[in-house]
Amino acid sequence: MKQKKIDPSMKKETSYKLPAGLRALTAVLIMALLIGLCGCGAGNGTKIPEDPEAAVDAAAIFEGSHPRETDYLAVFKTHALTVGPLSLHMEDRIYDEDILRGLAKDVLGDLAKVKTGLGAEPGAVKVYLVKEPIGGVPLRVGTQVFCAPADVESDAFRNALFAAAYDLCTTWQQTGLTEYIFGEADDAGLQAYYADGAHPLTASCSALHLSSVLSDPDTVRAACATARSLTAFILARDGFDAFRALETPAAILPAWAEALGISPAPVLPKNCGELAGLTLEVKSDSSCTLRMNNFTVLLTDDSWLREPDGLYQWFSDFLAGMELELDQIRTEAPSAAEIISQRFAENINIYFTNRNQISMASPASNRIDLSRNDAIWHEMGHILLMSDDRDEFQWLNEAVAEHFSVCATALYAPTQYISNGLEAYEEIFASYLTETEAAPDDLVFHECVWTLYQRFRDPQQTENDDLEAYKRAYGICSILLDGKITRTQFRTKYDRTIAYGYGRTAGRPETDPMGLTYSQSLVLFEYLCGMYGTDAVINAYLNSVSLEKAFGITYKQLFVKARSHYEMEYMKLLPIE
């Protein structure tokens, strides 16, 4: 029988639609089935498989790559496998399948031990095995880790791995977790180490104290043991979430010390929060790069090595002094508040250089070359309040930096030599004086400075010299005695004029704005601010507006007026005819 043909255009389509609720249920079941299929065999779920080694053996190896990125500027191809939360890539030039699988088992095994110890699953982490990581040490970048195969074999990669897998921000947390899982407790040793208040800064467990380059072996051992003990204490008392959220151990040190029987409890500086996030990179030439927030500090002077407490205290003092300096600027020159906040947040590089060099700031490149501990706040003043570098503004550049830094310098880098008086002055500078070079004027000058210093000095300053009072006394005497006493070769060296720093010949201050000492500039600036207000002066300065245009006064007129003012106030007090 011949089948009858049906005209397609006449064919009626029929279909059956599931009810809406049943369609949604079906979709969920299909999705669950797909997820289950994807997780079979190779253990490719987000959790660590029950049998990590079997999962690694079953995992498929695929071709991958690392793209160029801001925090790791390297492009290379890889062979990789993924098991649970771990994606392990091996750079092609060192690729070996057996080694890749073997190291994957080691890494996954470490993650499994941490999961068991914490009761918390690790997050997804991608580990790149490279011939040599940038910087030569394991590096954590977000949820990525870059390390050499030897770093996995030696366990040196663990801190970076756990930081990436559990989002641990500070070095002490990373070390503490590693030691908690894989180390041994030494509470008795810690009791002895911290007895009678010894080594309080080691309790910060900072990158400085945990570094075998900057610290001696005893300090490193104590810092690691402390990190472990603090981690165990927090986990037992507050749980993992509290541990992960605690950037600095400062707040729990009293309770931890009491639990361990340590008395008195270690006390950390107020800025230890920022210091907890400090990271350290040591180069092959033993130079160190420290990073904290937006600051990068390069130590090229070997005298700074193996002084972790000194560096830690310097960082703490630097931050505390900057709080004081920023607050002073905001109070006296509120129009500059937004500018200094922006500049303080920019990336700033600080180079510790040879102590025979001068400290200097390069505001255009946000760089400071530092040869003296106490110069940092002055140089930061240049960075925060950058202005025109024309000759007219050279003295003002230094005056602004001096004015806003002297309080921080006096408080956090106190001096101990001014109050020793005339005898110490003669002793310190005796090498400059010769039999043929009579120096009565030098001694007269110092006696005048000493007289005003005693008048200006805050009677509450008992332990240290009053640096602010000394600089003001020195500056006023420099202005009042210019032309009245002989400027010997020694006096010129001691003044260290701004002109000296720029290779110029210092002329008379009232005609050459380059020929001022830093202290002279300070008191001249203070007189200017007294006349027109600090905020107005700083506003004109930042906008490179000349004194004449801003205030209707020439530089020479300013100097003459300031000199006349200080003469009326102080000349009669000086021991000079």
Side-chain angles (χ1 to χ4, degrees), residues 130-172:
V130 296
K131 185 174 183 180
E132 184 177 0
I134 296 175
V137 295
L139 176 67
R140 176 256 181 124
V141 179
T143 58
Q144 301 177 114
V145 175
F146 300 86
C147 62
D151 294 324
V152 178
E153 294 169 355
S154 67
D155 302 325
F157 82 116
R158 282 175 172 166
N159 279 14
L161 175 68
F162 303 150
Y166 286 96
D167 192 25
L168 303 179
C169 298
T170 66
T171 303
W172 83 267

Side-chain angles (χ1 to χ4, degrees), residues 336-509:
E338 185 175 350
I339 293 175
I340 63 171
S341 295
Q342 290 175 353
R343 290 183 177 169
F344 189 65
E346 294 174 359
N347 292 325
I348 298 173
N349 294 321
I350 303 173
Y351 291 76
F352 279 92
T353 59
N354 189 298
R355 294 175 187 269
N356 294 324
Q357 298 175 337
I358 63 171
S359 295
M360 62 181 295
S362 303
S365 58
N366 279 359
R367 169 172 172 158
I368 293 175
D369 290 275
L370 199 64
S371 60
R372 288 171 35 210
N373 306 0
D374 60 351
I376 183 60
W377 300 284
H378 175 97
E379 303 306 338
M380 278 299 299
H382 288 306
I383 299 293
L384 297 175
L385 298 168
M386 177 176 61
S387 186
D388 202 311
D389 61 356
R390 291 177 297 173
D391 286 357
E392 179 184 359
F393 287 93
Q394 287 298 343
W395 76 272
L396 197 51
N397 284 336
E398 301 302 338
V400 168
E402 279 288 274
H403 176 76
F404 289 114
S405 67
V406 67
C407 290
T409 305
L411 186 59
Y412 295 104
T415 57
Q416 299 284 349
Y417 58 85
I418 298 170
S419 299
N420 293 333
L422 183 61
E423 182 179 345
Y425 176 88
E426 292 176 305
E427 181 181 343
I428 292 173
F429 300 108
S431 60
Y432 289 105
L433 306 178
T434 65
E435 294 180 1
T436 57
E437 180 186 14
D441 284 355
D442 290 320
L443 303 182
V444 168
F445 178 82
H446 179 76
E447 190 175 353
C448 290
V449 173
W450 179 250
T451 300
L452 287 190
Y453 170 68
Q454 295 291 356
R455 182 180 179 86
F456 296 155
R457 188 182 186 193
D458 185 347
Q460 301 300 319
Q461 293 259 3
T462 54
E463 287 189 23
N464 303 304
D465 295 330
D466 190 333
L467 185 63
E468 187 173 2
Y470 181 78
K471 288 190 173 185
R472 184 166 292 113
Y474 191 100
I476 292 174
C477 288
S478 293
I479 290 178
L480 297 185
L481 300 180
D482 184 72
K484 298 184 183 298
I485 62 175
T486 303
R487 289 176 60 89
T488 65
Q489 182 180 8
F490 161 60
R491 286 284 309 119
T492 303
K493 288 181 179 179
Y494 186 40
D495 277 351
R496 298 291 288 184
T497 64
I498 296 171
Y500 176 90
Y502 290 86
R504 292 173 176 251
T505 301
R508 292 185 63 78

Side-chain angles (χ1 to χ4, degrees), residues 46-48 85 115 118-123 165-166 240 244:
T46 57
K47 295 184 178 181
I48 296 176
K115 172 198 167 183
L118 294 179
E121 288 280 354
Y166 286 96
F240 176 67
R244 180 163 51 190

